[in-house]
Amino acid sequence: MRIQVFSTFFTAWGYEVSYLEFVASLVSFIGVALGITAKRITWPWWALSAILYGIFFLQYKLYASAALQLVFIAAAVAGWYGWEPTGAKPGPFKNKYRLYTIAAIILATLVLGPVLKSLGAASTYIDAILFFGSLAAQILMVYEKYDSWPMWLVVDAGYVALYASQGLLFTTLLYVAFTAMAALGWSRWYGTHKRALRSL
């Protein structure tokens, strides 16, 4: 019998986890875990999880979350070719650029929010600001900035609230894990940067 990716794989606490959501979560978890170690092999996992989650989020009309997966795929290609085979060499992001980034995220959110509302999206401004926060965090990660991780921490915590509000229990739990992993990634990348400075 042919397995349908949208059919239920198992049920937990009354929530039906589809084959698609389960595999997407597993692949995404592996990708983030590899990202913490700054290994270049993280990027193919990010690309694959983005494809799977893009399909998943379209089911629930989370259009910004679905569109974000296209960004992740592009970033995965850029990261694969941009990082050295030995992995990332974390560095800092200038303070003035941090302010510019926050301002850009807010302004872009004010533009995208009404568009999502007109499309009948399940979430508008929250999904929009998390979209642009994720975009910024992913770009910083491609450029090997340890600042990507504190941004991921904030964004992932926001996604916990968003996906919980949509009843996506399994993915919500995944983003709880991502929030903790972002804190670990921040510590690891910042520590690597400090050790590199001391060795100069």
Side-chain angles (χ1 to χ4, degrees):
M1 183 177 179
R2 183 181 176 183
I3 296 175
Q4 299 294 325
V5 295
F6 299 112
S7 62
T8 302
F9 179 36
F10 65 89
T11 301
W13 301 288
Y15 176 77
E16 296 182 353
V17 179
S18 68
Y19 286 93
L20 176 61
E21 185 176 14
F22 178 77
V23 174
S25 297
L26 180 62
V27 172
S28 188
F29 184 88
I30 293 170
V32 173
L34 289 170
I36 291 172
T37 66
K39 296 185 184 299
R40 192 172 71 156
I41 193 62
T42 186
W43 295 114
W45 290 91
W46 279 70
L48 179 56
S49 70
I51 293 169
L52 297 172
Y53 259 120
I55 298 168
F56 178 76
F57 288 136
L58 283 174
Q59 285 183 282
Y60 291 91
K61 297 185 178 181
L62 291 168
Y63 298 133
S65 291
L68 180 62
Q69 307 312 308
L70 297 175
V71 173
F72 287 165
I73 293 170
V77 174
W80 177 261
Y81 288 105
W83 287 16
E84 294 182 9
T86 53
K89 294 181 178 179
F93 195 45
K94 293 182 179 179
N95 283 330
K96 67 176 181 179
Y97 294 135
R98 291 174 183 167
L99 294 175
Y100 295 156
T101 300
I102 292 170
I105 289 171
I106 293 171
L107 290 173
T109 297
L110 294 175
V111 173
L112 181 59
V115 175
L116 292 175
K117 187 174 182 179
S118 69
L119 292 173
S123 177
T124 54
Y125 287 97
I126 298 300
D127 206 10
I129 197 168
L130 294 175
F131 172 89
F132 290 112
S134 297
L135 173 61
Q138 189 73 321
I139 291 172
L140 289 175
M141 192 170 181
V142 168
Y143 283 99
E144 305 172 57
K145 305 300 181 184
Y146 61 72
D147 302 77
S148 65
W149 290 106
M151 186 166 286
W152 277 127
L153 191 152
V154 173
V155 167
D156 289 339
Y159 275 125
V160 168
L162 174 61
Y163 297 145
S165 72
Q166 300 300 312
L168 303 176
L169 175 63
F170 200 71
T171 296
T172 298
L173 293 175
L174 175 68
Y175 274 82
V176 169
F178 282 171
T179 303
M181 292 168 78
L184 178 59
W186 186 3
S187 176
R188 286 284 296 269
W189 279 40
Y190 183 74
T192 299
H193 170 66
K194 285 298 183 182
R195 286 192 296 273
L197 288 179
R198 287 196 294 268
S199 65
L200 293 177

